[in-house]
Amino acid sequence: MELTGAEITMRCLADEGVEYLFGYPGGAVLHIYDELFKQDRVKHILVRHEQAAVHAADGYARTCQKPGVCLVTSGPGVTNAVTGIATAYMDSIPVVIVSGQVPTHAIGQDAFQEVDTVGITRPCVKHNFLVKDVKDLAATMKKAFYIATSGRPGPVLVDIPKDVTTARCEYVYPDKVELRSYSPVVKGHSGQIKKALGLLLEAKRPMIYTGGGIVLGEASAELTQLVRALGYPCTNTLMGLGGYPATDPQFMGMLGMHGTYEANMAMQHCDVLLAVGARFDDRVIGNPKHFFQEDRKIIHVDVDPSSISKRVKVDVPIVGDVKEVLSEMSRQYAAGGTKPDAAALKAWWTQIELWRARDCLKYDRASPIIKPQMVVQKLYEITKGEAFVTSDVGQHQMWAAQFYKFDKPRRWVNSGGLGTMGFGLPAAMGVYLAHPDSQVVCVTGEASIQMCIQELSTCKQYRMPIKIVNLNNRYMGMVRQWQEFFHGNRYAESYMDALPDFVKLAESYGHVGMRIEKPEDIEPALKEAFARKDQLVFMDFITDQTENVFPMVPGGKGLSEMILV
Amino acid sequence: MKHIISLLLENEAGALSRVAGLFSARGYNIESLTVAATEDATLSRMTIVTTGSDDVIEQITKQLNKLVDVVKVVDLSEGEHIERELMLVKVRAAGKDREEMKRMADIFRGRIIDVTDKTYTIELTGTGQKLDAFIEALEEGAVLETVRTGASGIGRGERILRV
């Protein structure tokens, strides 16, 4: 039987096993919404802004092993979604975006709600398609899911003109697709792995540095096994937190611009570095020239060849699936007789412990004003480290990364690459839908939360009992911090006057609001909020306005040139 | 250093803009870019002349390979290869200059393909360097207009780029 393009679109999503579709209707996608109405296999979540649709799909994808899917209309539907798409792209998150387009005969005529969607999104998607013939629709949808989820994942957009949604053809959803131009490498070269292991075992001062690739590649267990077997220190990037258990003694904390003193010092002074699923970006190694003042051998494992030797020259490149490579490394280590140099390793750990003793994350615990670090620490204790934590971007994000100890992957959800304010709340919606029985917390600030505050309405509609921890310092804290350090305390436009009463705001959306102003009230407030299992609670913590994030590697400086508290 | 990169890509709408967009987004140089369909209508062959350090060229080839529409990439400069470019040049050819211009075209093995009382249009094929040399050799002010295709490249001998 012949189906319309709209029916085919919905059938493809259902056949792909899509559970939730995050979207917002509009003219160009009305036929698809009509088909959505007639079926019950795919559940639709109506967001209040298309940016949130993509963030929610993204949050969903980050916390389960499935791609997130969204549906937006042409023109402004797409341009609103672009921030979400770019966010997913920078963090390699598998998201499939279906967008409506004006009818094929109107393309290029500056039609109502027309934009060059494929052109606008090209630089921030893994791939995109414009479907001009309904006969190509099902195969294109299959390709989109395949490309989004394989190799180094990423967002893929399928643009469907309105007349294609009404045209008819036979529906066959292909079982699999093959693309002659796309075949991600899976298995790492075993000779290279052997060489890497040899280097690692010769190391006097080894260091293991891992990123989001461990989380995306489901390689956390393999990493933990190898790190423990070798007895080497391990650090995670902002995107990699949870890849290695944070409470393990071999864990050095996060590295980078706001990484721990010990992680950054060990990174700078190691003689052999194993980098896995990470990309040596500017927030991680600081100034590359300074980084290379020290001599070290680098082994780099990544599924994406273009990540290797992009910012730093590598001695042993290994292209492959990180899970495969790490388990092969462990296998070869167990089979070979060589052990690490115990004496050198002992001396290295002694040095590391001296760095650790610097206690770089200390803050004034006796302060009469609420310290934001204290809030995150209490949150960690009360949720026993088991919550899914999303964040926005700024100081609160760094404190959440520093003080919430993630022992498991896929628990920490933040916009690491693009640094998108407004990400936290919609991402938490996606996380909640993926894990409805878990605690989902959005750690945010009063500036970030206002960038997607409208989603409180979506949360009400679908009864999402997310807990919002708003670290309210009445400043764009990270901007203020930079202005304090580098711009002579000239706080240009970083103070936000006329903030809303967040308690009343939450209540107006039908949620629970709380304002917490004293340190002794932090714990009771959090306990009460989590006791309200079926309600969204907006906790507005009035925090110290002057608190800064330490340590800090200033822009352009080297890793060991941290500003310490 | 100058590199000639050849690629095969899906002959689909937008494939060219993906390649061009990659170069502009990542700040790579393009000296010239030519593209046309191959004997297999589903594939286009593109030749890009670019400059950069070895690290940059390595990134360029990796990033090109990453594009979903790109089927194969080869840096022709890594081995023996042939490079050809076509130029059409319209020159002043009046009075005493007329004979001289004909002679210059002959020396460079160019062909005069269009003639008026005052101009010749010369067709010239060769490496980019040869075309540059021809322009250099002409008297200042002799050139009225030039159009160049950019280089096309192919490997020597058994070196073949195909699917």
Side-chain angles (χ1 to χ4, degrees):
Chain A
M1 198 183 83
E2 293 202 326
L3 303 181
T4 65
E7 286 173 282
I8 290 172
T9 307
M10 286 314 301
R11 287 279 290 270
C12 288
L13 295 177
D15 288 348
E16 194 59 45
V18 174
E19 209 180 350
Y20 292 104
L21 181 60
F22 301 89
Y24 202 103
V29 285
L30 274 178
H31 295 296
I32 301 177
Y33 269 89
D34 200 32
E35 290 310 319
L36 176 91
F37 188 83
K38 296 177 195 161
Q39 59 86 53
D40 56 5
R41 287 164 78 191
V42 180
K43 291 187 264 308
H44 184 268
I45 303 296
L46 176 67
V47 293
R48 300 301 185 261
H49 186 291
E50 287 88 350
Q51 179 187 346
V54 191
H55 289 332
D58 176 325
Y60 176 87
R62 285 183 205 235
T63 49
C64 59
Q65 284 141 278
K66 292 201 278 182
V69 188
C70 16
L71 174 58
V72 299
T73 194
S74 65
V78 166
T79 54
N80 277 347
V82 167
T83 299
I85 298 171
T87 303
Y89 179 69
M90 286 292 275
D91 292 343
S92 308
I93 306 302
V95 176
V96 172
I97 306 102
V98 177
S99 58
Q101 182 55 279
V102 300
T104 46
H105 59 81
I107 289 178
Q109 309 285 315
D110 297 327
F112 177 64
Q113 294 195 329
E114 178 187 2
V115 288
D116 173 10
T117 298
V118 166
I120 284 179
T121 58
R122 192 193 337 103
C124 58
V125 292
K126 186 172 173 187
H127 198 59
N128 57 18
F129 298 94
L130 169 63
V131 183
K132 284 187 163 172
D133 187 336
V134 71
K135 292 192 201 72
D136 299 330
L137 182 55
T140 304
M141 292 292 285
K142 186 74 200 177
K143 282 182 198 168
F145 279 94
Y146 169 60
I147 293 170
T149 53
S150 54
R152 179 179 181 174
V156 177
L157 179 140
V158 182
D159 200 26
I160 310 177
K162 191 167 184 180
D163 55 332
V164 173
T165 63
T166 52
R168 289 174 174 274
C169 78
E170 284 290 332
Y171 171 69
V172 185
Y173 197 58
D175 287 336
K176 57 175 190 159
V177 279
E178 270 185 38
L179 291 156
R180 62 179 170 182
S181 57
Y182 175 77
S183 47
V185 177
V186 177
K187 232 172 133 33
H189 192 279
S190 69
Q192 287 291 88
I193 296 173
K194 195 175 164 198
K195 208 166 137 191
L197 187 61
L199 258 184
L200 272 176
L201 292 173
E202 282 167 22
K204 306 282 182 215
R205 301 182 308 279
M207 178 70 166
I208 297 173
Y209 140 66
T210 72
I214 293 290
V215 178
L216 293 164
E218 299 294 332
S220 172
E222 288 75 10
L223 172 70
T224 309
Q225 188 194 354
L226 181 72
V227 173
R228 285 191 178 146
L230 291 169
Y232 291 176
C234 180
T235 181
N236 288 164
T237 66
L238 178 66
M239 288 306 297
L241 293 175
Y244 189 83
T247 53
D248 187 280
Q250 279 166 255
F251 187 62
M252 312 284 290
M254 179 174 76
L255 86 166
M257 184 171 269
H258 294 296
T260 65
Y261 183 67
E262 53 271 30
N264 285 344
M265 292 302 275
M267 186 79 176
Q268 181 72 12
H269 296 288
C270 66
D271 68 343
V272 176
L273 177 65
L274 170 63
V276 193
R279 57 190 179 90
F280 292 91
D281 85 275
D282 55 308
R283 288 295 195 263
V284 163
I285 60 162
N287 185 340
K289 278 205 186 94
H290 183 276
F291 188 59
F292 279 105
Q293 283 170 8
E294 307 292 331
D295 198 26
R296 69 177 83 66
K297 296 275 184 220
I298 300 178
I299 304 154
H300 192 177
V301 187
D302 205 289
V303 74
D304 176 5
S306 74
S307 276
I308 298 177
S309 291
K310 182 168 74 179
R311 294 199 76 240
V312 304
K313 207 69 194 146
V314 167
D315 299 280
V316 185
I318 303 174
V319 177
D321 180 81
V322 292
K323 189 183 176 85
E324 292 260 343
V325 172
L326 289 174
S327 57
E328 173 64 14
M329 229 176 237
S330 285
R331 200 194 58 74
Q332 288 191 11
Y333 175 63
T338 321
K339 297 278 160 214
D341 181 340
L345 193 56
K346 196 170 169 234
W348 180 227
W349 273 110
T350 307
Q351 173 62 66
I352 289 170
E353 290 308 332
L354 284 175
W355 287 328
R356 243 184 204 162
R358 193 78 178 61
D359 191 14
C360 66
L361 296 179
K362 61 176 175 271
Y363 64 93
D364 180 8
R365 283 159 213 268
S367 162
I369 313 168
I370 293 179
K371 289 288 182 183
Q373 299 97 320
M374 169 86 75
V375 178
V376 178
Q377 207 164 1
K378 292 282 177 207
L379 174 69
Y380 170 70
E381 287 162 15
I382 283 164
T383 56
K384 301 183 178 65
E386 289 288 323
F388 287 85
V389 179
T390 73
S391 90
D392 276 300
V393 171
Q395 287 185 320
H396 67 268
Q397 176 190 25
M398 293 300 118
W399 286 315
Q402 290 175 332
F403 290 89
Y404 201 100
K405 295 180 176 56
F406 295 95
D407 276 342
K408 293 177 194 162
R410 297 191 183 273
R411 297 281 163 139
W412 166 238
V413 175
N414 85 130
S415 169
L418 195 68
T420 308
M421 292 170 72
F423 173 80
L425 177 58
M429 302 183 329
V431 175
Y432 165 73
L433 291 169
H435 302 276
D437 300 323
S438 301
Q439 291 169 333
V440 181
V441 186
C442 169
V443 176
T444 183
E446 81 291 342
S448 282
I449 190 71
Q450 290 190 80
M451 285 212 187
C452 271
I453 192 81
Q454 76 285 347
E455 296 309 315
L456 284 174
S457 174
T458 311
C459 292
K460 180 64 184 172
Q461 182 170 346
Y462 299 97
R463 297 185 169 74
M464 298 172 172
I466 294 161
K467 305 296 179 267
I468 297 172
V469 172
N470 189 37
L471 301 177
N472 184 346
N473 63 358
R474 284 81 73 210
Y475 271 108
M476 289 157 219
M478 192 58 93
V479 175
R480 189 201 50 71
Q481 178 169 341
W482 281 59
Q483 288 169 334
E484 181 185 327
F485 288 6
F486 313 118
H487 299 277
N489 295 323
R490 292 180 298 280
Y491 297 149
E493 304 297 321
S494 56
Y495 178 76
M496 209 178 271
D497 208 346
L499 285 173
D501 178 333
F502 285 109
V503 172
K504 281 190 187 149
L505 184 68
E507 286 168 359
S508 80
Y509 277 108
H511 303 301
V512 179
M514 296 179 182
R515 181 172 300 109
I516 303 98
E517 291 173 286
K518 293 192 213 105
E520 61 270 27
D521 295 336
I522 300 173
E523 204 171 311
L526 284 167
K527 280 186 174 155
E528 191 196 329
F530 283 105
R532 293 175 179 269
K533 289 200 184 315
D534 301 326
Q535 282 171 302
L536 183 149
V537 183
F538 192 117
M539 287 162 271
D540 189 20
F541 290 94
I542 308 303
T543 63
D544 186 347
Q545 290 193 286
T546 60
E547 191 60 38
N548 289 325
V549 182
F550 293 109
M552 179 177 189
V553 180
K557 293 283 184 178
L559 267 188
S560 56
E561 300 176 307
M562 282 164 275
I563 304 173
L564 293 162
V565 66
Chain B
M1 211 186 99
K2 193 178 103 172
H3 285 253
I4 302 181
I5 295 170
S6 261
L7 40 153
L8 286 173
L9 62 165
E10 297 290 351
N11 187 9
E12 275 178 22
L16 169 62
S17 65
R18 287 180 210 279
V19 174
L22 169 71
F23 275 73
S24 63
R26 294 196 181 262
Y28 305 142
N29 298 314
I30 299 184
E31 289 205 346
S32 72
L33 184 157
T34 68
V35 62
T38 64
E39 74 283 4
D40 172 353
T42 66
L43 283 175
S44 293
R45 168 91 176 227
M46 185 182 280
T47 309
I48 301 171
V49 179
T50 181
T51 53
S53 64
D54 290 352
D55 294 351
V56 169
I57 300 296
E58 182 184 334
Q59 266 300 309
I60 290 176
T61 53
K62 282 175 171 177
Q63 294 289 349
L64 284 170
N65 263 313
K66 208 166 125 177
L67 293 176
V68 172
D69 280 341
V70 170
V71 184
K72 270 193 178 172
V73 180
V74 62
D75 180 356
L76 286 177
S77 319
E78 280 178 349
E80 290 286 311
H81 65 279
I82 303 162
E83 169 199 346
R84 287 292 180 273
E85 181 174 359
L86 174 74
M87 173 167 72
L88 303 178
V89 50
K90 190 168 290 182
V91 293
R92 209 180 293 283
K96 62 177 174 45
D97 294 340
R98 212 166 164 83
E99 260 311 294
E100 173 63 13
M101 202 50 87
K102 171 79 173 68
R103 229 179 355 257
M104 285 300 284
D106 288 343
I107 292 169
F108 281 84
R109 299 202 191 127
R111 292 197 302 145
I112 296 173
I113 54 171
D114 189 42
V115 177
T116 70
D117 314 351
K118 290 181 188 140
T119 67
Y120 284 152
T121 300
I122 303 167
E123 172 195 317
L124 196 64
T125 312
T127 62
Q129 275 176 317
K130 176 183 160 181
L131 306 189
D132 292 343
F134 180 68
I135 300 284
E136 290 263 310
L138 297 181
E139 262 177 48
E140 224 177 293
V143 176
L144 299 171
E145 186 181 354
T146 60
V147 52
R148 296 170 68 151
T149 58
S152 286
I154 197 163
R156 267 196 194 279
E158 306 290 308
R159 220 174 152 215
I160 288 163
L161 174 63
R162 62 180 303 153
V163 176

